[in-house]
Amino acid sequence: SQALEGFLASAAFTIGTAADPGLFRATVQKHISELAPGAIFMTSFTLEEMRSLQTIAPRARVLILAAIAILSLLLAAIGLYGTVAEIVEQRSREIGIRVALGASQGMVAQLFIRRMLFTLIPGLSIGVALAATMVRGVTSILFETSSLNPAAYCVALSVLSATAVLATLLPVRHAL
C-alpha cells in the first residue's frame, strides 16, 4: 500500500477518451483518492491544453521579435524621412532657380523623385539582401513562419518607399 501511495504521489497519467475530458477529471480524482487516501490530485490538462502550454514560449518569442521588427521599421522610416527631406530642403534654391527659368512644378517634382529613386532602389536592394541573409540566423525561433516571408518584405519595402516619396514631395512642394 505504501509503495502504491508513493507511486501515485509522483505519477502522471494519460487517459484517452472519446468523450469530453472534463467529465473524467472528477472521476479520476475520486479513484486516485480511493487508491491512495494521502495522495494529492494536483491538476489535470487536456491534450489541447498541454499543446497550448508548450507553444507559449515560442509564440512569446515571435511576438517580441515582431515588436522589435515593427519598431526597427518605424525607426528606419523616421531616419529615411529625415535624411531625404533634409537633402531636398538643402536644394530649395535649385528648385527656385529651375522654376524661375521656366520649369513646370511637375517637371521639378519629377526630377527630384527620379533622383530619390536612383538612391532608394539600390539601398532597398542591399537592405533586402542583408535581411534575407541575416534572417537565416533566427530561423530556430520562428514559429509557424518561413524564414523568407514575402509579405514581410513587401510591407517593409512599401513603408520605406512611401516614406521616401513623401520625404521628397513635401519639401519640393514647400519650396515650389
Side-chain angles (χ1 to χ4, degrees), residues 47-63:
L47 187 58
E48 288 79 22
E49 292 169 344
M50 288 296 289
R51 284 186 188 147
S52 176
L53 289 172
Q54 290 175 345
T55 60
I56 287 174
R59 288 176 195 240
R61 282 185 277 185
V62 168
L63 288 175

Side-chain angles (χ1 to χ4, degrees), residues 20-30 41 44-46 49:
D20 180 20
L23 299 174
F24 290 98
R25 288 181 181 172
T27 306
V28 170
Q29 186 174 3
K30 178 183 169 213
F41 188 77
S44 63
F45 299 101
T46 64
E49 292 169 344

Side-chain angles (χ1 to χ4, degrees), residues 8 14 26 30 32 45 54 61-65 89 103 106 120 127 137-139 144 146 156 163 176:
L8 290 175
T14 303
K30 178 183 169 213
I32 289 175
F45 299 101
Q54 290 175 345
R61 282 185 277 185
V62 168
L63 288 175
I64 290 169
L65 276 178
E89 190 70 36
L120 180 70
V138 295
T139 54
E144 294 179 1
S146 92
T163 301
L176 289 173

Side-chain angles (χ1 to χ4, degrees), residues 33 38 59 70 80 83 85 87 92 106 117 133 136 147 155 160 162-163:
S33 58
R59 288 176 195 240
I70 290 169
L80 179 66
T83 303
I87 290 169
S92 61
L117 288 176
T133 303
R136 290 195 170 96
S147 61
V155 167
L160 294 175
T163 301

Side-chain angles (χ1 to χ4, degrees), residues 65 132 134-148:
L65 276 178
M134 293 179 71
V135 78
R136 290 195 170 96
V138 295
T139 54
S140 64
I141 59 174
L142 294 176
F143 182 73
E144 294 179 1
T145 307
S146 92
S147 61
L148 297 174

